[in-house]
């Protein structure tokens, strides 16, 4: 039966089966809360992106459209990166992720250079 399904249908079936079998309502609400409040921590954009994708898979009702996924991902970025990404008017989540990774890398590099410069002065 699974061979005759599209990937999207199979993914929805798998997720709904997992949610109804394994996760009680409280656990689903906890994951939804985590997705809503997910933020980049310590310049670790890779960990943020990975956890975002995991939560989107487990809570598809919270981000039912492409636009909602983009908005949810941007919401967790740092303010200065968020502004740049929003200003570029991205059309896909992949575009947002690539841009956020590049900007966060630049930000981390600039921070490292400032720290190194401060150490030289001392």
């Amino acid at each position: 039966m699974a061979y005759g399904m599209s990937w999207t249908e199979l993914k929805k079936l798998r997720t709904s089966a997992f949610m109804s079998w394994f996760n009680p309502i409280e656990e689903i609400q906890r994951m939804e809360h985590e997705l809503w409040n997910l933020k980049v921590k310590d310049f670790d954009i890779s960990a943020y992106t990975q956890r975002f994708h995991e939560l989107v898979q487990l809570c598809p009702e919270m981000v039912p459209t492409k636009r909602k996924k983009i908005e949810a991902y941007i919401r967790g970025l740092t303010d200065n990166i968020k502004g740049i990404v929003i200003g570029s008017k991205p059309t896909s989540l992949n575009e947002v992720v690539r841009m956020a990774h590049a900007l966060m890398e630049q930000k981390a590099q600039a921070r490292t250079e400032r720290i190194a410069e401060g150490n030289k002065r001392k």
Side-chain angles (χ1 to χ4, degrees):
M1 184 171 127
Y3 289 115
M5 295 178 146
S6 71
W7 172 244
T8 304
E9 292 171 327
L10 183 61
K11 195 166 62 171
K12 283 181 183 176
L13 180 63
R14 179 190 56 129
T15 301
S16 65
F18 172 76
M19 291 299 211
S20 64
W21 173 76
F22 181 71
N23 291 318
I25 298 297
E26 295 83 22
E27 183 65 16
I28 294 169
Q29 289 173 342
R30 185 195 63 76
M31 288 186 295
E32 288 174 345
H33 180 75
E34 183 182 352
L35 177 58
W36 184 259
N37 294 300
L38 189 63
K39 303 279 185 214
V40 175
K41 294 180 182 120
D42 300 325
F43 298 96
D44 195 354
I45 190 78
S46 296
Y48 169 75
T49 301
Q50 180 179 350
R51 186 61 181 155
F52 177 82
H53 286 301
E54 290 169 355
L55 290 170
V56 164
Q57 287 289 317
L58 295 171
C59 307
E61 309 83 33
M62 286 194 63
V63 286
T65 65
K66 182 171 81 168
R67 173 62 37 207
K68 292 289 184 188
K69 285 179 188 168
I70 291 170
E71 290 170 1
Y73 187 86
I74 291 172
R75 186 175 49 245
L77 298 174
T78 59
D79 289 339
N80 55 350
I81 290 176
K82 188 185 302 185
I84 295 168
V85 172
I86 290 171
S88 72
K89 298 181 181 169
T91 57
S92 73
L93 184 58
N94 286 337
E95 183 182 350
V96 172
V97 169
R98 282 194 303 272
M99 186 181 301
H101 277 258
L103 291 168
M104 189 62 77
E105 187 175 312
Q106 289 174 2
K107 184 177 176 181
Q109 186 176 7
R111 181 176 180 251
T112 302
E113 289 171 2
R114 280 194 310 273
I115 291 170
E117 186 64 34
N119 289 340
K120 286 180 187 176
R121 290 181 186 176
K122 291 180 184 179

